[in-house]
Amino acid sequence: MANSTESTIVQPPSLGFSVSFQKIDLDIDLLTRSLKGKAEVTVNPHSRDLKTIRLNCRQCAIQRVTANGRACSNLSYEDPYLRRKLSWKANAHQHHMLRQQIQGQLKTPPEEELLINLPKSVKIDEIDPSTAEAQSTSITKLSFSSKKDSVDDTPVEPIQIRSAVEQERRFTPISLVVEYVIHNIRDGMQFVGWQEGELRYPHAYTRNSSFPGSACCLFPCLDDSTARCLWEISIKCPRTIGDALASERQTRLTRAGSAANLDRDPVFTTTEIDQSDFSDADKALDIAVICTGDMTDEIDDPVDTTKKTFSFSCGNPISAQHIGFAIGPFEHVDLAEFRDDEEDDKLGQNAVPLHSFCLPGRAEEVRNTCFPMAKAIDFFTIEYGSYPFPNYKMCFVDDCYPEIMHTGCLTICNSNLLFAEDVIEPLERVSRQLIHALAFQWMGIHVIPKEISDTWVVIGIAYFMTDAFMRKLFGKNDYGFRQKIASDRVTELDVARPSLHETGALIEFDTSELEFMELKAPLVLSILDRRLTKAGSSSGLSRIISRVFLNAKVGDLPNGAVTTALFAKTCEKLGHAKLETFFAQWVYGAGCPRFRVAQKFNKKRNMVEMLITQIQVEPPDRDLENEYFMRDVKEEMHNVYAGPVQPVFTGPMTICIHEADGSPYDHMIDIKEQVTKVDILYNTKYKRLKRSRRQKERMAAASGLDYNPDGNDDVLLYCLGDVLQSEEEMQEWRLADWGKDQEDQMNQESYEWIRMDANFEWICKMSIGMPGYMYLSQLQQDKEVIAQLESIQYMAAQREHALISTILVRTLMDTRYFHGIRTAAAAALAKHGKDELSWLGLYHLEKAFTEFFCYRDSPMTRPNDFSDRAAYYIQCAIPKAISKIRDNSGKAPMRVRTFLLDKLKYNDNSTNKYSDNYYIATLMEALADAVASKPAPSAEIEEDTMVFSDEDDGDHLHFHNACLDQLDRYRRIDEMLPSYQNILSTTFLKCSRKLVMAKAIDNDNGRSFVDYTRDGMADIVRLAAFDNLMEMGFARNGAVLKWFLFAMGTDPSPYFRQHMLRLLGKTLGSIAVGIETESTGTAMQQDGLIIEQEGSTEARQADLARKQTVPGALTALKREVSGNEVLKEGIWEAVRSPAPSLMEMKELLDICALLYEPQTQIYLRLKYPRYWSCTKIGPAKLRFYPTERFRTKPRPKSVVGAAMPLPVAGSSPVSAAMSSATSMAPPRRPIFKPPRRPSQGSVGGAGDVEMRNSSPAEDKPRLKIKLKVGGIKMEGGGK
């Protein structure tokens, strides 16, 4: 595995220099998407032999380059955007030829485009290390240790590195100045609101990426995350929106209007700018520049009063990839106002200024969304060390992809993250995203990974810091619940996957690789933190993270770059523990352990005997998923395979035995082998009588007597879930109780329950052989939310039973439980809504909803009140669970559909101060799920009488239409009063898709969905509509597919294009694995026997191969799309479109490589020659002109050596030539006599004609053709 992943990373040769300082001056014209730039780069040579400086620079037109004030005339520059098209009319089969032209920019790291040969007059001399100039030069070498100069991953002691640098030879720096212009900014910067008809506020911002290729699109630099230097940035822009739109005629980019225009370059035309869309107040809005670093100046331009210049300085070395800015009419919000006075006084000068910027009218949403940021930055400062930058800024813009872009002391966020005070749902999700963006300033920008395989350290620590504050913000229960959910998800996904360390080299393949790393890396650090805390390090991982930041600040961490080996060594040193095995298993190894635990109590020995078996078997063949199809294909193409299955995971584990006295006893064991036997001493003399005591209390209460526990040895424990205990409540709620045999069995147990891995030190799947009543005790008596969730998961996996339904409904009704446990109990109750149990689970869910949210003794729902967030989650969870209940035929009962329709129909939010958009969306999805469980009812109309096919069941057409009317009602409401992010419209589209695919409504061939894909609709709505069309198989419809590919290739929004690319990959995955196709196997049934045809076995094998193997799926995919010319032409037109970035173009080329075999050929289009005609227009005047007749056959060869007829006396040479031409075939083509060459030694007269016999080689000129296409040179000659 290691060899295969390392082969994808190409280590470039040494550059021979480093960069210590850059000054960037930009004059940006927002309307024409152009800029004039000047980059001053301070280059520090590593030797005096430096002759060439190589920089990354794209889409620029270089005007002038100087080195130390001397002009550099000898330079080479190749813009990859000029090579993004083939010079002939190619097709998708020439994808490899186009890729070859831009291959240098697709490497990691990419090739440098700008090569500057230094003039001979520029001298590089060695300088004395003791001088001030040498000291300033040494800063560079201490802060820049590029991967271009070192490929060794061996960690070196910081002191040794520092001394080695100090002893290196130093040379005079070179001041390199590059002046350039960019006429059309295609990549690296996004312009929003500057197109005709746009109603959004105009603004622009940089498109930063953790991969090379974005920063160099705006200024020359070393586009490498490890090339870090100091920066000064100056940006000139219009003063107001009106100034930007001042001129009535401007040169601006026109958008291609049809697929036929996609093969052209962006065309600049002179267009009249319509300013009627902007009011006077809008035109007067001041334009601000928000940029990386600290703003040092803001001045009006002394020459052009309509412009002003913003200057910024960044005193911390950062890479060009972390330089970002935004330009627009932003409103400022001071987030420091949310800082408490006590915190402000406590921090003093360490209090970091916080600023947020947004488009006009959204300041209140910013205040609500960014409320926890002040507390978060103070928490990080106290817990992990001082903030590395002078301030922190957040800027919210439109069309941003990804939703959060990280730059130095500035985070550029998508405006979709903002939400108002009355919206509840996005609170936790968005807060975690924004807090992680803040933590990334410490770990991700201030400290970076040295190699791409070390990315997991940066991502893991940033999310570990995020989760630490989330635990403080939302509580311990929320933290534990999310940790358990994430652990289960990792256990499910980490099958046949590369290791965490190797995944770093794969994150550029697909976004799912990064998502998996973001899920697993913080979990690994969490269990490391617990193991270090147990080993004796009181601060755990927090102290280690603080030391890493401190080392980076004082220079002990070279270039601020951390490695896996260095991080592991720091953990061992400060944690006082040997962690080699831990990192080998969880970082360098792949997979997660699975345990089976058997236990019994030995009364004679007074021991609990346990057998812990670790099962590490080879993962079974899994079916390919269409969502991850492109990831699997890219891994197959790059020879990325799963890591070897580890035979045994080792480490400490805590076993907690809750004995009869209610006390938990922790026992530490060490897992070293595949099978571990453990004998644990039992401590308590009590028997397990607590449950019988509660039964006695209940019986005494029913008799009206007081239960006196004196004289009993029963031990009473306070526990959760002890609601609905009276006889009346049990009868009303139809609750079940333990039988006598079960009570007797429980009384014989010596302990309550056993909890494996009580301290959550493992990412594993645990199966414990305990009876159900022990899981009940764990659910009711264990205070840890993880233990409670494990009990719910166990019960959800059991068969339906009245007793389990009783336990779950009691959990749901007990408000002391964490809301996540209660919602999990509600979801598990749906399984017990079966006819065999008299619909007990359904009754419990209905009864719980009525008890919480309806009027007393009435099914009518009370007006919504979402002031209690936990109650809101329960109100959403119960209808969702009810919608999953099915009868034995797989259909939702009429009772379920009626319940959901009533809740949606009579929803009342008039007195609620919170929005109910998400709640309505939940009800809409629940109702659609229930209605889609059976086809639409049919009716026959005879003599004005409607006869329903299922009238006995009560399910008739009127009810069905009433359900559809309610769904459509909220769609119309959303059109008039848009909901938050159009959640009602997108939910309606999802519901419609379910109903169409279930044949619950008529299929109109996708016309209703196509209406939502047109330009002008919100991007999120368009994406939902396109998703519907692709999921329903309309990729096989030529018109729909053509529109899909056109929208993907031409839309100006990167957010929209990227999601469409992912949707295209998902659609191809569906076709490849056969999700949307019917089974190809054929069978005939005769007399009850199934006779398989001869080819059915091969067909089944091919179908199995396409579902489980990537080669089989690719073979099926190519077969399915081989004749689809619309797909071929549409993808190629998207490749040639000017809208996609270079990385998006790479994704499209990858898809072409999957679908189409490469064909190295060039299609040349030559015109047929025409016949010419001649007309005499006067004395000695002839007019030659082409006719409409084409020559389609070659001329017959003339006889070699034939003599030309002499001109007739008295006629002109021209008339003689014409007369001779009439005797030659073909007669209609005039032939001109070539000019004669004078013979040596004789001079002919004016009327002399020289007759010469010459060989064909002398008479006919040779034509030599040279063609160069990409890297292929073709040469040929002919006569």
Side-chain angles (χ1 to χ4, degrees), residues 125 135 170 569 633 852 875 977 1221:
D125 299 323
Q135 296 296 329
R170 304 189 185 99
K569 188 172 183 179
V633 168
F852 283 131
Q875 190 169 354
L977 300 173

Side-chain angles (χ1 to χ4, degrees), residues 8-9 108 211 452 504-510 634 1146-1147:
T8 62
I9 305 301
T108 304
F211 304 108
I452 195 169
L506 311 177
I507 56 178
E508 63 177 336
F509 290 170
D510 192 79
K634 291 178 182 179
K1146 174 181 177 293
E1147 294 291 328

Side-chain angles (χ1 to χ4, degrees), residues 602-629:
N602 191 323
K603 294 183 179 180
K604 293 182 179 180
R605 300 176 58 199
N606 199 31
M607 290 280 188
V608 178
E609 299 175 346
M610 304 186 67
L611 182 66
I612 305 173
T613 305
Q614 189 173 163
I615 305 171
Q616 297 299 109
V617 297
E618 292 289 339
D621 294 333
R622 64 177 181 89
D623 289 345
L624 297 176
E625 299 181 32
N626 58 346
E627 187 173 356
Y628 303 116
F629 174 72

Side-chain angles (χ1 to χ4, degrees), residues 142-145 225-226 228 317 442-450 458 548-549 551-563 566:
L142 194 62
S143 64
F144 173 48
S145 178
S225 61
T226 57
R228 294 154 45 106
W442 272 272
M443 200 68 181
I445 296 179
H446 178 54
V447 177
I448 60 175
K450 183 178 180 180
V458 172
V548 172
F549 294 151
N551 291 342
K553 185 175 182 180
V554 301
D556 288 343
L557 195 64
N559 196 33
V562 65
T563 66
L566 184 61

Side-chain angles (χ1 to χ4, degrees), residues 837-1039:
L837 296 180
S838 301
W839 307 104
L840 183 60
L842 174 59
Y843 175 79
H844 284 162
L845 287 169
E846 291 176 334
K847 185 71 173 175
F849 191 92
T850 304
E851 186 75 16
F852 283 131
F853 310 111
C854 295
Y855 290 105
R856 183 180 295 275
D857 300 329
S858 172
M860 180 61 67
T861 308
R862 297 194 302 266
N864 295 329
D865 182 9
F866 298 157
S867 57
D868 185 349
R869 197 161 60 93
Y872 166 75
Y873 291 135
I874 300 302
Q875 190 169 354
C876 292
I878 294 179
K880 190 183 301 184
I882 291 177
S883 68
K884 305 299 181 184
I885 296 177
R886 300 290 184 268
D887 58 19
N888 294 331
S889 62
K891 301 176 182 178
M894 186 65 183
R895 179 175 161 189
V896 168
R897 285 172 283 169
T898 303
F899 174 88
L900 296 173
L901 177 62
D902 290 343
K903 298 303 173 280
L904 183 62
K905 185 176 181 180
Y906 299 110
N907 177 68
D908 183 5
N909 204 59
S910 58
T911 61
N912 190 14
K913 66 177 182 179
Y914 295 98
S915 170
D916 64 344
N917 290 334
Y918 276 93
Y919 175 61
I920 292 176
T922 302
L923 293 177
M924 292 173 66
E925 285 195 68
L927 180 60
D929 285 340
V931 174
S933 64
K934 62 181 304 182
S938 59
E940 299 177 358
I941 302 179
E942 297 180 0
E943 299 180 359
D944 299 331
T945 301
M946 189 173 292
V947 180
F948 298 99
S949 59
D950 51 359
E951 188 176 2
D952 295 337
D953 189 35
D955 189 3
H956 48 75
L957 193 59
H958 295 298
F959 178 83
H960 184 82
N961 291 335
C963 295
L964 302 182
D965 290 342
Q966 283 301 313
L967 297 176
D968 189 65
R969 170 190 167 214
Y970 285 103
R971 177 194 63 81
R972 296 194 304 270
I973 290 176
D974 196 40
E975 292 179 355
M976 295 182 291
L977 300 173
S979 58
Y980 173 73
Q981 293 188 1
N982 297 105
I983 183 65
L984 297 184
S985 293
T986 55
T987 303
F988 172 80
L989 291 173
K990 294 178 184 178
C991 296
S992 299
R993 181 184 67 191
K994 292 179 183 178
L995 296 173
V996 170
M997 297 182 71
K999 298 182 180 180
I1001 59 175
D1002 294 335
N1003 186 357
D1004 60 351
N1005 293 325
R1007 285 191 295 268
S1008 58
F1009 298 137
V1010 172
D1011 291 340
Y1012 286 92
T1013 63
R1014 65 180 186 271
D1015 289 334
M1017 302 292 290
D1019 285 347
I1020 193 170
V1021 176
R1022 297 183 68 197
L1023 289 171
F1026 274 120
D1027 187 27
N1028 281 4
L1029 292 171
M1030 296 300 105
E1031 284 288 334
M1032 295 170 60
F1034 281 97
R1036 300 183 182 275
N1037 184 298

Side-chain angles (χ1 to χ4, degrees), residues 33-64:
R33 302 164 62 102
S34 61
L35 65 81
K36 296 180 180 179
K38 179 181 178 181
E40 299 180 18
V41 185
T42 301
V43 177
N44 294 98
H46 292 174
S47 68
R48 66 175 61 194
D49 299 329
L50 180 66
K51 302 298 182 184
T52 304
I53 297 176
R54 295 177 291 172
L55 298 176
N56 297 108
C57 181
R58 300 180 183 179
Q59 69 182 8
C60 300
I62 306 298
Q63 303 293 310
R64 185 169 180 265

